[in-house]
């Protein structure tokens, strides 16, 4: 048996065993503490909220929202034309063209330059000779009839987040400035940048002042307004659905692709821009979501999808 002694642990004194146990416990505690600290740091990093946006009280920041298919389903100009037809401003043949353009826009979700040109020319010929005040009054009625229930609740929540933070919010659209101003006022926004139709002594001439506020023209309008309002564009946000608005989106420090067309979605993902899609009720691939919009924006998008589904049925 003596030969097997090496298999038997050597007996230690009680004091030595106590010291060994204490040292082992202390070492285990130290390692456990380090592991817990690492876990706590990791959990804290995961739970850390997004930086506040919009930044409350930042008066040198503002938000710029495209209108068609970003704030509202479809195109404002087409809804306006529908309302004018109801009031016998033009004939059924012209209504059919408006309806086709609107249907194409809703299905394709993109702005076709030829359709937009045709719609603009039609609108100008229709309002020629009418007073601006008359069209403003009719525009208020048309908003209630055809536009109010087409506002995307999710996008509306994003705009409200900026307003709640004390920032100005502007619509930027190719729609007539009168129509855009009505929509902005009804939504409680600051104001609107839109296409300006020429008028003399309060009567429309059937011509434009300059060109439609579309594509690069939007970017120039935002740049000019920012200078006049003493805004810092790197602190501003812009929202749009269309790749045509990339010049405007690229101006600001916080660009958002809302209900994006295929080209804008690809462009936004490549540049790590934020994306949000309210057209289907599903959450778009998240590149980043403004914290201030939160649950309200998501709930709004779902509500819009349900309403749209019911109308289609």
């Amino acid at each position: 048996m003596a030969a097997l002694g090496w298999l038997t642990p050597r007996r230690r004194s009680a004091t030595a065993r106590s010291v060994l146990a204490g040292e082992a416990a202390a070492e285990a505690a130290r390692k456990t503490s380090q592991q817990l600290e690492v876990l706590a740091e990791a959990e804290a990093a995961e739970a850390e909220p997004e930086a506040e946006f919009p930044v409350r009280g930042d008066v040198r920041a503002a938000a710029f929202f495209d209108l068609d298919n970003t704030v509202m389903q479809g195109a404002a100009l087409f809804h306006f034309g529908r309302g004018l037809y109801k009031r016998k401003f033009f004939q059924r043949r012209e209504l059919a063209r408006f309806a086709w353009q609107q249907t194409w826009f809703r299905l394709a979700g993109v702005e076709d330059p030829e359709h937009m040109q045709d719609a603009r020319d039609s609108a100008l010929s229709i309002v020629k000779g009418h007073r601006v005040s008359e069209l403003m009054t009719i525009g208020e009625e048309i908003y209630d009839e055809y536009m109010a229930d087409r506002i995307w609740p999710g996008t509306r929540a994003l705009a409200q987040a900026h307003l709640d933070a004390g920032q100005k919010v502007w619509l930027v659209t190719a729609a007539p400035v009168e129509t855009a101003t009505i929509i902005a006022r009804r939504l409680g926004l600051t104001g609107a940048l839109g296409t300006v139709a020429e008028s003399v002594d309060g009567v429309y001439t059937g011509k434009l002042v300059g060109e439609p506020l579309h594509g690069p023209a939007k970017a120039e309008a935002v740049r000019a307004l920012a200078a006049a309002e003493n805004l810092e564009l790197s602190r501003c946000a812009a929202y749009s659905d269309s790749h045509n608005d990339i010049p405007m989106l690229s101006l600001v420090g916080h660009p958002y692709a809302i209900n994006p067309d295929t080209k804008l979605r690809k462009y936004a993902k490549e540049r790590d821009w934020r994306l949000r899609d309210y057209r289907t009720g599903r959450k778009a691939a998240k590149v980043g979501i403004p914290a201030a919009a939160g649950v309200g924006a998501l709930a709004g998008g779902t509500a819009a999808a349900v309403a749209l589904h019911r109308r289609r049925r």
Side-chain angles (χ1 to χ4, degrees), residues 61-223:
F64 302 95
F65 283 80
D66 168 56
L67 176 59
D68 296 346
N69 217 36
T70 301
V71 171
M72 181 175 66
Q73 301 172 44
L77 187 60
F78 300 146
H79 295 315
F80 189 65
R82 184 182 177 190
L84 291 181
Y85 171 77
K86 179 181 177 180
R87 291 160 177 81
K88 303 185 184 304
F89 270 67
F90 54 91
Q91 303 303 312
R92 183 178 297 274
R93 175 176 56 83
E94 293 168 300
L95 174 65
R97 185 169 68 251
F98 268 91
W100 157 243
Q101 292 165 335
Q102 171 65 359
T103 300
W104 188 93
F105 183 81
R106 288 287 299 275
L107 293 176
V110 296
E111 299 169 354
D112 180 86
E114 184 177 343
H115 285 181
M116 299 301 288
Q117 172 79 31
D118 187 27
R120 185 182 75 247
D121 292 344
S122 297
L124 286 171
S125 65
I126 289 167
V127 302
K128 181 179 179 180
H130 289 274
R131 299 197 66 82
V132 175
S133 57
E134 176 191 10
L135 270 295
M136 288 293 289
T137 299
I138 292 174
E140 296 279 358
E141 299 171 358
I142 291 175
Y143 177 84
D144 291 327
E145 293 170 1
Y146 300 115
M147 301 181 187
D149 65 347
R150 289 177 168 82
I151 302 299
W152 291 111
T155 312
R156 180 69 187 85
L158 296 176
Q160 189 61 48
H162 286 279
L163 294 171
D164 291 344
Q167 297 177 5
K168 293 183 178 181
V169 177
W170 303 84
L171 290 181
V172 188
T173 174
V177 67
E178 294 85 358
T179 301
T181 299
I182 290 170
I183 296 171
R185 183 172 54 77
R186 290 299 194 92
L187 296 178
L189 309 183
T190 306
L193 297 165
T195 298
V196 179
E198 181 184 76
S199 64
V200 176
D201 297 328
V203 178
Y204 288 113
T205 65
K207 300 177 181 178
L208 290 183
V209 177
E211 63 179 12
L213 200 67
H214 187 262
K218 283 188 179 182
E220 293 305 317
V222 168
R223 196 191 309 276

Side-chain angles (χ1 to χ4, degrees), residues 64-66 69-71 155 158 237-243 245-246 248-250 252 254-279 284-290:
F64 302 95
F65 283 80
D66 168 56
N69 217 36
T70 301
V71 171
T155 312
L158 296 176
Y239 302 78
S240 179
D241 72 296
S242 174
H243 69 279
D245 288 338
I246 287 175
M248 178 181 75
L249 294 169
S250 300
V252 301
H254 303 279
Y256 293 80
I258 306 295
N259 306 328
D261 61 34
T262 301
K263 291 182 179 179
L264 179 58
R265 181 181 292 275
K266 181 176 183 292
Y267 191 92
K269 286 185 175 181
E270 289 173 350
R271 286 154 182 80
D272 202 33
W273 288 359
R274 296 176 176 89
L275 291 138
R276 177 65 84 176
D277 198 320
Y278 300 119
R279 293 169 295 190
K286 180 180 175 183
V287 177
I289 301 300

